Each structure stands twice: as C-alpha cells, then as structure tokens.
Amino acid sequence: MKIRSITCFANPNSKAFAETLETFTRLREFCQDEFVKLGWEVQTTRLATVPFGMYTEPKTTVEKITALENTAAEHDFTYLAIGPARVSHPEEFELVPEILKATQNVFCGGIMTHHNRGISSAAVKACARIITDCATITPDGFANLHFCAMSHVRPFTPFFPASYSYNHEPAFALAMQCADAAVSAFENASSASEGSAELVSALNAAAEVLQPIAHAAEKKFGVVFKGFDFSLAPFPEDWCSLGQAFEKVGIPSIGYLGSLTAAALLANALDQGSWKRTGYNGLMMPVLEDSTLAARTENAQFTIKDLLLYSAVCGTGLDTVPLPGDVSAEMITPLLMDICSLSLRLDKPLTARLMPVPGLKSGDKTFFNFDFFQNGQIMDLPARALSRVLASSEWLEMKKRERMS
C-alpha cells in the first residue's frame, strides 16, 4: 500500500487563502516526514477548491484558473482540482474545454444530478459535449484524463478529478493506493471469509498507523482531517491490480459471470473497516490504470456494460475508459444517463471519466505514454442517440430506492 495523495481543501474566496496555503505547506511537510519515517511513500500532494464558479467570473475564468495553477505549483502541489461545473450554472460547463486547453495540471468535473430533482438532461448533454470537445485538444485524447462527469459525489473526496471543497474551512484527507492489499488477501485464501478478514485487517492496520499522524497534524496546524479513502485504487502493474484481485477471488477472467459476485465480495469487505471515512471507499476500476483491466479489454466478454454492472454493487463508476475517436456526444449521453440513474437510485457517488481517442476505432490499441497508464484496446460503445421522453425531458425525476416492508 501507498498514500496516493495528501489532498488539501480550501476556498480561494477566503480572506485567509494565502495564509491557508502556507499552512498547507507546513502540514504536508510534517505529514510526509512522519509517514516516511514509518516506511510509507507519499506519491502526490494535491489541492482542491470549491466549485470554480464560486470564485471566478465567466469572462476571466481561464485567466484566474491559470494563475491559481501557478500558485498551487509554487506551493509544491502536484495537481489542482478546481471543483465541478454546477447544474444551476450551465455557462460553467461551456468553460471547461477552454480551462483544460489552457492548463497542464488542472482537474475538474461536471455535476449532472440534483438530489431533489433527479437527472438534469441539460447537464448530462453538456458533459457529453465536454468529453467530445476535450478529446481533440491533443492527438491522443489525453485531456479527458482531467475531467469527469459526476453524480452524488460528496465534498472532501480526496481522489481526483471529482475532488472539491464546500466551505471556508480548510481540510485535508488521505487517498490510498491499496489494490495490492486485495491481491495479497485472496492470493492464498481458503475461503471468502478468510480473504475478506485479511483485507479488512490490513486496511484497519494501515489506518491505525497513519491516523495518529493525521490527528497530530490536525491539532498542530488547525486543519480538519476529514478521513481516509481506502478505495482499492490500482497501479498499472499486476502486483497492484484490482482486476488481478477479482481473478484471485476465483473468476477465470474479469468479464465472465461471477465477476459481479467478486466485486460485491470485495466491496462488502471494505464496508467492515473501522477507519474514519471520506470519499468513495469503494472499488476503483480505471481501465487504463490497471494492468489486468487494460489487458482484458482484448476479451470480448469484458465490456462497458460490465463496468456499469459492477458499479451497481461497489464501484466508483467508469474510469479511464478508452473509446472510439468518432463517438458523438449523442452516443455518450445515454451512458452518462445510466451512470446518473445508478447513482441516484442506489444513493451512491459515481463518476465517468471517458477517453475517446482520435483516429482509433473499437479494437485498436491505445498509445498513451504515461507512467500511470497501461495501454489496452479501444472498447466498443453500444449506444445511439436517445429519443422520445428521454430526449425531450428537461429533468428526469429520480429518487433513491426506498426499502419495501
């Protein structure tokens, strides 16, 4: 296991913002020093803000964000999340491609749902347009790594791109890279209960070691510690592959029947943990960031529909999914609608980070040159434009499913 990120949260509108950044610098140095003493690697440090529309004006948004990116870099933050475009402000969605084109290390999202009203068709379509527009920023479509369409994601989630803050209170959280714990737990497990118990024990033990340092930093610097996100995030090598963990549980290859049960089993184990929680704490299945998942894109049994199915019991949504370069916004919209419906009916956070690759079609090999990616095949998108009420309704009312007596 490693610490994927120490993620700090702040509001640029705060009068004390500059002072807060200085405090974050000292806090990160303290935490990193203490974590390293215990043998823990910290991969990145990240800054997340309130939704960017709360501290920028439309005419100067790009200028303000590029300046903030520079400020974050000066304070040694690896990446910056500027929060999502909001459903109630449609003009914010139109600014996202401009922001990503003008920056290098900025991430953001687009909110597609409202907990009282349901799914905003306008916001879903806007996110689909962002994805197709951003696919053309670079020849390989890489800009879409920096954007996700999101539903029901709470503030203080430490994993990017969906990270955002919600108030003036500075805070921090820890995002964990721990798919390897699941691989180890089920490598030689003789039963589901034994593997699950070993996984929970490993994650609880990690939290028990790290939490005292986080609380010491909270007390020392006056910055609230929101908790851990022990989502089973992978690294693109087999030793830290969530897809590998699925197969260690007992399925012949991810995508075959039984994969849903493997996903539910792993997610059920995470629910037993006793650490302080923030963010997803679910299964993270970024196709191109996981060596096994990337390899299984060559298997016709592993499809986008499978990823949706697993999201129903465990996941964080669809992540770094390579798509044909000629997909249209009208084809992406139904997929985003399905993400929203799962999220609202199941009352859980879900996101979609989709990556159309210009010039490539289903079955072609991707060619990304990025340390956190393992190349795979372009996945088919079985979608056509929506019609009738799904195309014409401004809002699709969607409530969480209530338990029946």
Side-chain angles (χ1 to χ4, degrees), residues 97-116:
E98 295 180 47
I99 292 169
L100 296 185
K101 189 174 183 178
T103 58
Q104 297 294 320
N105 296 308
V106 169
F107 290 73
C108 65
I111 298 173
M112 301 183 289
T113 56
H114 187 281
H115 65 282
N116 287 328

Side-chain angles (χ1 to χ4, degrees), residues 42 317 389:
V42 179
V389 297

Side-chain angles (χ1 to χ4, degrees), residues 11-192:
N11 186 343
N13 274 337
S14 170
K15 293 179 180 179
F17 182 62
E19 180 182 338
T20 296
L21 292 181
E22 296 296 334
T23 300
F24 283 159
T25 297
R26 297 192 300 274
L27 179 146
R28 291 190 343 260
E29 290 174 349
F30 170 81
C31 287
Q32 284 182 293
D33 288 347
E34 295 301 313
F35 292 150
V36 169
K37 288 177 185 177
L38 296 176
W40 284 83
E41 178 184 336
V42 179
Q43 294 180 318
T44 65
T45 57
R46 307 178 182 184
L47 175 66
T49 71
V50 296
F52 66 87
M54 298 177 66
Y55 58 89
T56 64
E57 296 294 334
K59 290 183 179 180
T60 58
T61 295
V62 175
E63 179 182 350
K64 183 71 176 286
I65 296 303
T66 54
L68 184 58
E69 180 184 29
N70 291 333
T71 299
E74 289 167 1
H75 287 81
D76 294 325
F77 286 104
T78 317
Y79 301 112
L80 167 68
I82 58 171
R86 298 168 291 173
V87 171
S88 56
H89 293 76
E91 72 281 359
E92 294 175 4
F93 292 83
E94 305 305 317
L95 292 168
V96 170
E98 295 180 47
I99 292 169
L100 296 185
K101 189 174 183 178
T103 58
Q104 297 294 320
N105 296 308
V106 169
F107 290 73
C108 65
I111 298 173
M112 301 183 289
T113 56
H114 187 281
H115 65 282
N116 287 328
R117 302 189 67 182
I119 303 171
S120 166
S121 294
V124 170
K125 293 173 183 177
C127 286
R129 288 195 301 272
I130 289 171
I131 292 166
T132 55
D133 288 348
C134 287
T136 64
I137 291 176
T138 61
D140 58 2
F142 190 74
N144 270 311
L145 179 73
H146 295 253
F147 173 77
C148 72
M150 51 198 279
S151 174
H152 225 25
V153 179
R154 277 92 173 173
F156 308 111
T157 294
F159 278 104
F160 279 24
S163 295
Y164 69 102
S165 182
Y166 194 68
N167 52 36
H168 286 282
E169 178 184 64
F172 75 106
L174 298 178
M176 305 300 296
Q177 177 184 292
C178 53
D180 55 325
V183 175
S184 297
F186 285 90
E187 181 78 48
N188 299 305
S190 60
S191 67

Side-chain angles (χ1 to χ4, degrees), residues 290-303:
D290 186 300
S291 60
T292 303
L293 297 184
R296 298 300 177 261
T297 57
E298 299 179 9
N299 186 336
Q301 305 303 319
F302 181 52
T303 69

Side-chain angles (χ1 to χ4, degrees), residues 194-379:
E194 179 184 330
S196 296
E198 184 174 334
L199 175 58
V200 175
S201 177
L203 301 185
N204 277 337
E208 288 173 7
V209 169
L210 298 174
Q211 190 159 301
I213 296 171
H215 283 317
E218 179 180 49
K219 183 176 181 180
K220 182 178 180 70
F221 299 102
V223 176
V224 176
F225 175 58
K226 290 294 183 177
F228 297 91
D229 191 339
F230 271 103
S231 291
L232 298 181
F235 185 80
E237 295 180 6
D238 287 352
W239 63 269
C240 194
S241 162
L242 182 57
Q244 191 78 193
F246 269 61
E247 295 177 7
K248 295 294 184 185
V249 169
I251 56 172
S253 178
I254 190 166
Y256 283 85
L257 293 176
S259 298
L260 178 69
T261 300
L265 178 68
L266 291 168
N268 186 70
L270 289 179
D271 290 345
Q272 312 310 310
S274 59
W275 56 85
K276 183 175 183 179
R277 294 167 181 259
T278 192
Y280 301 105
N281 285 282
L283 307 193
M284 197 161 284
M285 304 185 68
V287 175
L288 295 179
E289 293 182 5
D290 186 300
S291 60
T292 303
L293 297 184
R296 298 300 177 261
T297 57
E298 299 179 9
N299 186 336
Q301 305 303 319
F302 181 52
T303 69
I304 285 176
K305 289 182 180 179
D306 293 303
L307 291 169
L308 275 172
L309 184 64
Y310 310 151
S311 294
V313 297
C314 68
T316 60
L318 275 61
D319 199 1
T320 63
V321 177
L323 296 178
D326 63 355
V327 296
S328 64
E330 290 73 23
M331 294 173 67
I332 291 173
T333 294
L335 178 57
L336 298 184
M337 285 282 193
D338 286 350
I339 286 285
C340 292
S341 298
L342 280 175
S343 170
L344 293 177
R345 287 292 286 165
L346 300 177
D347 192 25
K348 64 182 297 183
L350 288 176
T351 61
R353 186 160 49 162
L354 310 176
M355 304 189 70
V357 183
L360 298 189
K361 61 184 184 300
S362 297
D364 288 344
K365 189 82 170 182
T366 63
F367 51 90
F368 293 105
N369 182 20
F370 181 52
D371 289 343
F372 285 89
F373 269 12
Q374 183 72 255
N375 284 302
Q377 284 190 1
I378 299 293
M379 302 184 77

